[in-house]
């Protein structure tokens, strides 16, 4: 099978090895003639980034980059990016990288034409309608990891630097117009990032599948996304040059992020405040939280997870699925507790408070209360 395709779900996706060569054409298809490439500090000097800048420069689209992006991007990063965008007279954004670069790039494109502050557009009720939709700049997204799936999302996660709370900024028009999924860009990911990002994709699929909301299209996508992670993440972790495994994991990442329109749950509700306060890697934190959350939700999801286990050729129903998750984590060196992530003496009250106001809480199968969320967190702390 040739792992190259053009998809239009949920947006235009150019999928396949080597397709970064089409970056200039993708910009023009999106109506961008003077892009600002936005990525994180770690990627800024890497060969894949410089080659991308070479390609857009050779096409006469300029060579501009903004990389002052934190691992958990903040409104301060967004304000700085908007200033560079406006000063440079840009007309669109190339969001390039993992979740931080993609989320920040999308927010800069969103905010560049707005007059209101970022928190006026938090994903609460219909706050997104406050935006001037015609002023949102076009976006081309280029993921360089296989986990977050932000390249196919209509939202960005931005950390409030003053309160250390992760907020979701949403608008339908920050869905990138064109996405380039080139698995060759992920070959250089070290094993621990391959593991953390891949398990983020798995968490998206598991939580979307378990969400009690009705969305059968997402349900099917989440189930197949889990299978791709099961079959291909161990291969990508073992051999980073395995292009087939890298490509299938890029598919799983996009599928998970599309599927979680159905909802997320306690894994993300806990991971968001933990990451915002203690700066842990998001996907790895999700992986640490997952076993305890599965048990927490067991009364509501046991039959559903048993169904997934049958599809995934995992014996033992719910318990077999949980054993698989434990073994997968262990095979890639994922700690069993937050202490293993370096989080010593965490502020339980603050994490619980953050989890209970996180939008992901509403998609959890078991209703989260202060009491049971505290008990759940104590099981994860270790």
């Amino acid at each position: 099978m040739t792992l190259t395709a053009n998809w239009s779900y949920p947006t235009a996706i150019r999928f396949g090895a080597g397709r970064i060569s089409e970056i200039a054409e993708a910009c023009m298809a999106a109506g961008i003639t003077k892009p600002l490439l936005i990525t994180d500090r770690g990627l800024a000097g890497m060969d894949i980034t410089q080659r991308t800048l070479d390609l857009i420069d050779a096409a006469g689209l300029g060579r501009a980059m903004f990389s002052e992006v934190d691992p958990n991007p903040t409104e301060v990063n967004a304000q700085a990016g908007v200033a560079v965008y406006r000063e440079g007279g840009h007309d669109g954004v190339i969001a390039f990288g993992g979740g931080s670069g993609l989320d920040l790039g999308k927010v800069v494109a969103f905010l560049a034409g707005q007059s209101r502050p970022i928190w006026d557009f938090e994903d609460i009720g219909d706050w997104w309608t406050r935006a001037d939709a015609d002023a949102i700049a076009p976006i081309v997204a280029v993921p360089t990891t296989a986990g977050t799936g932000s390249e196919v999302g209509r939202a960005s996660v931005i950390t409030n630097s003053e309160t250390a709370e992760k907020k979701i900024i949403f608008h339908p028009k920050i869905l990138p117009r064109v996405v380039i999924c080139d698995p060759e860009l992920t070959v250089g990911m070290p094993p621990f990032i391959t593991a953390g990002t891949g398990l983020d994709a798995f968490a998206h699929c598991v939580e979307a599948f378990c969400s009690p909301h009705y969305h059968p299209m997402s349900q099917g996508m989440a189930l197949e996304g889990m299978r791709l992670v099961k079959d291909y993440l161990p291969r990508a972790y073992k051999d980073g040059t395995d292009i087939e495994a890298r490509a299938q994991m890029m598919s799983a990442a996009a599928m998970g992020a599309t599927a979680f329109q159905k909802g997320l749950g306690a894994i993300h509700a806990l991971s968001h405040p933990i990451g915002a306060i203690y700066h842990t890697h998001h996907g790895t934190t999700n992986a640490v939280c997952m076993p305890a959350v599965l048990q927490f939700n067991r009364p509501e999801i046991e039959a559903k997870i048993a169904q997934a286990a049958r599809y995934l050729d995992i014996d033992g129903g719910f318990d077999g699925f949980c054993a698989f998750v434990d073994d997968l984590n262990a095979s890639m060196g994922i700690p069993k507790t937050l202490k293993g992530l370096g989080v010593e003496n965490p502020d339980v009250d603050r994490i619980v408070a953050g989890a209970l106001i996180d939008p992901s809480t509403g998609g959890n199968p078991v209703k989260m209360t202060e009491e049971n969320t505290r008990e759940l967190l104590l099981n994860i702390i270790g």
Side-chain angles (χ1 to χ4, degrees), residues 24 52-63:
T52 302
L53 288 168
D54 289 344
L55 288 166
I56 62 174
D57 193 13
L61 302 181
R63 189 187 186 91

Side-chain angles (χ1 to χ4, degrees), residues 273-295:
I274 291 167
I277 298 167
Y278 301 104
H279 309 293
T280 56
H281 182 268
H282 173 66
T284 307
T285 310
N286 282 340
V288 171
C289 293
M290 185 181 295
V293 172
L294 286 170
Q295 295 299 330

